Structures are given as C-alpha cells and as structure tokens.
Amino acid sequence: MTQILLNENDVSVRTSIPVKTLRYWRFAGTIFAPKFIKLGARVYYPKDDLDNWLNNSPRFSSAAEARLSK
C-alpha cells in the first residue's frame, strides 16, 4: 500500500494554516495538531491522517460558539 505524504506547504495550502503555525505546533507538541512524521530533516504529514484530522475537527456556526466550547 502506498502512503501519500504531504509536506508542510501542501498542508498549509489545503488547510489555510500558515506554515509558521504548523511549525510552532510541532515545536510546542500540541495535542490538537495534525500528526506528522520526520524523515531525516524533512517533515511530512500522511494524507490519510490529515484527512482524518480535518474530518474530526469540531465545527462551529459562529466565533461565539467556538469560544464557548473551550
């Protein structure tokens, strides 16, 4: 089985999350960030894991609703 790996630029384009934010999340070890793997010095996000992360992310109707969910 072939696994599709996305680099951080691909993930940024797909999610509208800045590359800098993805890097910070990895550095900080945040639990809500998408899973990644490192191959040498390069960072990749398995497409299946990213799709799963996006599908399981909470959805809100308003910013107020998102604030209340914390």
Side-chain angles (χ1 to χ4, degrees):
M1 181 169 136
T2 303
Q3 186 173 25
I4 298 172
L5 300 176
L6 306 171
N7 64 33
E8 61 188 0
N9 291 323
D10 296 332
V11 173
S12 180
V13 168
R14 288 174 180 251
T15 63
S16 299
I17 298 169
V19 169
K20 195 170 185 176
T21 299
L22 293 169
R23 289 177 181 166
Y24 176 75
W25 285 351
R26 287 195 312 266
F27 170 78
T30 56
I31 60 171
F32 55 81
K35 301 294 182 197
F36 67 93
I37 61 173
K38 284 194 78 163
L39 297 174
R42 298 179 188 262
V43 174
Y44 295 99
Y45 294 82
K47 183 182 178 303
D48 291 342
D49 288 347
L50 182 67
D51 290 342
N52 188 38
W53 180 75
L54 288 170
N55 289 332
N56 291 315
S57 294
R59 281 139 171 81
F60 304 103
S61 300
S62 67
E65 182 182 352
R67 280 191 302 273
L68 291 173
S69 72
K70 290 184 179 180

